[in-house]
Amino acid sequence: MSDQTRLSLNIATTKRWTLREAVDGAVRAGIPAVGLWRDRVAEEGLTESARLVRDAGLRVSSLCRGGFLTAADEAGAQAALADNRAAIVEAAALGTDALVLVVGGLPEGDRDLAGARARVAERIADLVPFAREHGVRLVLEPLHPMYCADRAVISTLAQALDLAAPHPAEQVAVVVDTFHVHWDPALAEGIARAGRENRIASYQVCDFVLPIARDALLSRGMMGDGVVDFASITSMIDAAGYTGDVEVEIFNAEIWDSPGDQVLSAMIARYGDLVLPHLT
């Protein structure tokens, strides 16, 4: 069996499982960490979720997700800030310092990308003191450009790093997700910069499969089933000095409908073949 020391199951990969089932599945498979989602935590309850993971001896590599910070109206802005403060409290209670932020798309009827990005910057600044008090890092996730209008007005690692730059690295960082950034011609430069600035808080892996699904959110695939060059991207991550967990996060209807233990077995094998050889 390959070394799974740094492998983490993002529980979105086994979407049909409850949090309890995902924790049990990770333990059976010898996976030492999990990336959690707030909806599954809410179903189980925050205190019970933290107990389940702790008693299983697992690390929490990240909590997904906060963000959606682009509202143009005051009520929307305040609601978003309140939700993100709640997410920060949840991350601290679950024992992770990494709260992943999907920053949000354009408000309905809005076409002002620059304005939306400016609001994201303002609201990150609003959240940083609260996050610092709770020992939580805000982790910005650039999403593939096809999600720019509805989910994330930042599409590149460089944009995420520019948003993080006004803040200490221990407060605002980035996640490198192979699905979202593999296309970027400036990716090598961005990963190297993120390494120099000590801002890589998470490395998430899955493939980009074609044809794009009717629901574009479900176009992720198991490593090796698509077009992502895991050898080169993982080597860049390694050279940048990242030594944290490697989360497998897959949104794919066929994978979701497969038996969870079978999915984890495939995940471990593909990680061992395609990712692990490029980590030191």
Side-chain angles (χ1 to χ4, degrees):
M1 180 180 291
S2 63
D3 182 1
Q4 297 167 202
T5 306
R6 294 174 61 182
L7 181 59
S8 175
L9 167 65
N10 184 293
I11 65 171
T13 302
T14 52
K15 187 176 177 65
R16 309 294 186 224
W17 274 352
T18 65
L19 175 59
R20 187 180 298 267
E21 289 170 331
V23 166
D24 289 345
V27 170
R28 282 194 303 274
I31 297 170
V34 286
L36 301 182
W37 278 74
R38 295 177 69 199
D39 56 348
R40 286 296 191 222
V41 169
E43 290 170 359
E44 197 68 48
L46 180 59
T47 300
E48 180 63 10
S49 295
R51 187 196 67 77
L52 277 173
V53 177
R54 181 179 63 251
D55 289 355
L58 301 178
R59 298 188 301 274
V60 179
S61 52
S62 71
L63 178 65
C64 291
R65 56 179 162 54
F68 292 89
L69 298 168
T70 56
D73 62 294
E74 184 61 21
Q78 291 306 315
L81 289 171
D83 183 63
N84 278 273
R85 292 187 187 105
I88 289 165
V89 170
E90 292 163 20
L94 292 164
T96 180
D97 64 354
L99 174 64
V100 176
L101 303 188
V102 173
V103 299
L106 289 169
E108 186 175 357
D110 195 337
R111 292 174 174 79
D112 182 8
L113 278 171
R117 289 168 181 148
R119 291 192 295 275
V120 170
E122 292 169 4
R123 287 157 197 172
I124 289 169
D126 288 339
L127 290 169
V128 161
F130 189 81
R132 181 170 56 243
E133 289 172 9
H134 289 80
V136 172
R137 207 176 190 191
L138 304 177
V139 182
L140 306 178
E141 182 168 18
L143 267 58
H144 191 281
M146 65 182 168
Y147 304 117
C148 183
D150 66 340
R151 303 192 74 79
V153 294
I154 59 171
S155 304
T156 68
L157 197 52
Q159 287 176 311
L161 290 166
D162 287 347
L163 275 173
H167 310 286
E170 62 270 19
Q171 291 307 135
V172 185
V174 299
V175 52
V176 178
D177 183 316
T178 56
F179 175 85
H180 289 304
V181 302
H182 75 277
W183 61 274
D184 185 356
L187 182 58
E189 178 184 345
I191 291 175
R193 173 186 168 189
R196 290 194 303 272
E197 298 177 4
N198 194 29
R199 292 192 191 269
I200 304 176
S202 178
Y203 181 40
Q204 294 181 335
V205 296
C206 73
D207 221 325
F208 191 107
V209 295
L210 296 172
I212 292 172
R214 182 181 296 273
D215 180 350
L217 285 175
L218 306 185
S219 288
R220 294 169 175 250
M222 190 64 71
M223 296 81 74
D225 288 350
V227 301
V228 171
D229 182 354
F230 291 99
S232 66
I233 298 176
T234 304
S235 294
M236 293 175 199
I237 289 286
D238 191 63
Y242 179 71
T243 58
D245 290 320
V246 180
E247 280 189 14
V248 178
E249 182 188 52
I250 304 173
F251 307 149
N252 181 290
E254 183 177 348
I255 288 174
W256 287 345
D257 289 339
S258 300
D261 289 318
Q262 177 182 306
V263 171
L264 296 195
S265 179
M267 182 182 108
I268 290 166
R270 300 292 183 89
Y271 170 80
D273 290 343
L274 299 172
V275 179
L276 184 60
H278 308 287
L279 295 171
T280 57

